Amino acid sequence: MERGSVRALVMVGLVMGMIVGQSTASFKDCYTTCFIFCIITPNNTAFSCSLQCLKDCIIPSHPLDIQTADTTYFCKLGCASSLCTNLSTKRNPAGEKVESCVNSCSNKCTQYHPSPSKTQQFNPAKP
């Protein structure tokens, strides 16, 4: 087996151990794990993995959650895509830095796009 393949298998084993050991994953854990699995795939770039993992870790994965997702998720994804994708490199996912950046986006988006439950919703049936 090639040295690179052995390193990849060891990394996968370590990451899987981290996943099994945690009942709820933080954004940093989600992003770091996703990024490591993505970057070991040939031809993937740090930018493409960063973008994919931001999407996977910010937007709810369950279909029912997506249907009820408010604009804050999408605002946060747009902000993070613009400001946070350059923080990770092929050798370092920079999970803490990305998490801090995403939290900053979350604060901005919550301020400018309050969730629908906090604002009056449009009801076309009412005059």
Side-chain angles (χ1 to χ4, degrees):
M1 208 183 250
E2 289 184 39
R3 185 176 175 186
S5 296
V6 171
R7 284 177 48 184
L9 287 173
V10 169
M11 184 62 77
V12 168
L14 289 171
V15 171
M16 291 303 291
M18 288 178 6
I19 292 171
V20 171
Q22 298 177 353
S23 58
T24 59
S26 67
F27 173 85
K28 181 181 85 168
D29 296 332
C30 174
Y31 180 84
T32 302
T33 302
C34 175
F35 190 88
I36 290 169
F37 277 110
C38 180
I39 206 69
I40 62 174
T41 303
N43 300 322
N44 281 351
T45 65
F47 177 79
S48 66
C49 288
S50 182
L51 195 57
Q52 179 64 44
C53 294
L54 284 170
K55 181 187 78 64
D56 290 351
C57 297
I58 291 174
I59 304 294
S61 59
H62 193 273
L64 292 177
D65 291 336
I66 290 174
Q67 290 176 351
T68 60
D70 58 54
T71 57
T72 306
Y73 288 117
F74 301 103
C75 175
K76 189 163 52 167
L77 179 60
C79 175
S81 297
S82 296
L83 302 177
C84 310
T85 51
N86 64 336
L87 299 174
S88 300
T89 66
K90 280 193 168 212
R91 294 180 182 228
N92 181 8
E96 287 183 22
K97 288 182 181 179
V98 174
E99 181 178 51
S100 177
C101 182
V102 169
N103 287 341
S104 172
C105 287
S106 182
N107 293 339
K108 290 174 189 168
C109 290
T110 302
Q111 179 181 358
Y112 295 112
H113 299 281
S115 69
S117 62
K118 295 179 183 175
T119 61
Q120 185 176 358
Q121 295 180 344
F122 175 70
N123 186 346
K126 288 186 177 180

